[in-house]
Amino acid sequence: MELYTKESLKEVIEKAKDEFYMPKVLFDHYKSLRLETKLAYVSILETMKNKAGYTTENTAYIKVDNPRIQVNLAILANKEVDQEKVNKYLKELEEVELIKVDKQNIFVYDVLS
């Protein structure tokens, strides 16, 4: 899998302009991953769609403490979410290599690549 870039993120934005983008493969191939953790991936991707930063290599990222992650996840999970829960989900996503956390940045792997 490859990390999202400026170009691959544009494709996601066009596919799901006003919707959360939930790749079906996330639910097909990561069956052992808890639903909340999958929703955290979707929330991170949604936040990235709207507020990504880019490295000099055009790799997309967002900050670990971006409050939109919590807001989006609360909407998706229909429950309250705090930064502690988000950090727990980040750790789980990193363990299965769906994201990469580098210092204060989150890089997201494109599950379709």
Side-chain angles (χ1 to χ4, degrees), residues 34-37 39-40 43 69-83 85-86 88-89 92:
R34 295 181 308 139
L35 178 60
E36 291 90 353
T37 307
L39 293 177
S43 174
I69 298 171
Q70 283 179 246
V71 171
N72 290 334
L73 186 53
I75 292 167
L76 286 163
N78 197 28
K79 64 180 184 180
E80 298 228 358
V81 179
D82 59 21
Q83 189 62 43
K85 283 184 183 178
V86 170
K88 187 176 170 184
Y89 299 139
E92 289 179 40

Side-chain angles (χ1 to χ4, degrees), residues 67-110:
R68 288 301 311 170
I69 298 171
Q70 283 179 246
V71 171
N72 290 334
L73 186 53
I75 292 167
L76 286 163
N78 197 28
K79 64 180 184 180
E80 298 228 358
V81 179
D82 59 21
Q83 189 62 43
E84 186 178 323
K85 283 184 183 178
V86 170
N87 292 341
K88 187 176 170 184
Y89 299 139
L90 292 177
K91 186 173 181 156
E92 289 179 40
L93 289 167
E94 196 168 24
E95 286 172 2
V96 296
E97 298 178 346
L98 284 172
I99 66 168
K100 177 176 123 182
V101 179
D102 181 27
K103 296 180 181 142
Q104 289 299 308
N105 297 328
I106 302 172
F107 297 89
V108 180
Y109 286 100
D110 181 353

Side-chain angles (χ1 to χ4, degrees), residues 32-81:
S32 64
L33 207 56
R34 295 181 308 139
L35 178 60
E36 291 90 353
T37 307
K38 292 174 187 176
L39 293 177
Y41 176 91
V42 172
S43 174
I44 292 165
L45 191 54
E46 180 67 19
T47 304
M48 190 176 279
K49 276 176 37 185
N50 297 306
K51 196 75 170 165
Y54 299 96
T55 66
T56 54
E57 296 84 23
N58 276 333
T59 306
Y61 69 90
I62 57 171
K63 295 292 183 186
V64 169
D65 60 353
N66 187 314
R68 288 301 311 170
I69 298 171
Q70 283 179 246
V71 171
N72 290 334
L73 186 53
I75 292 167
L76 286 163
N78 197 28
K79 64 180 184 180
E80 298 228 358
V81 179

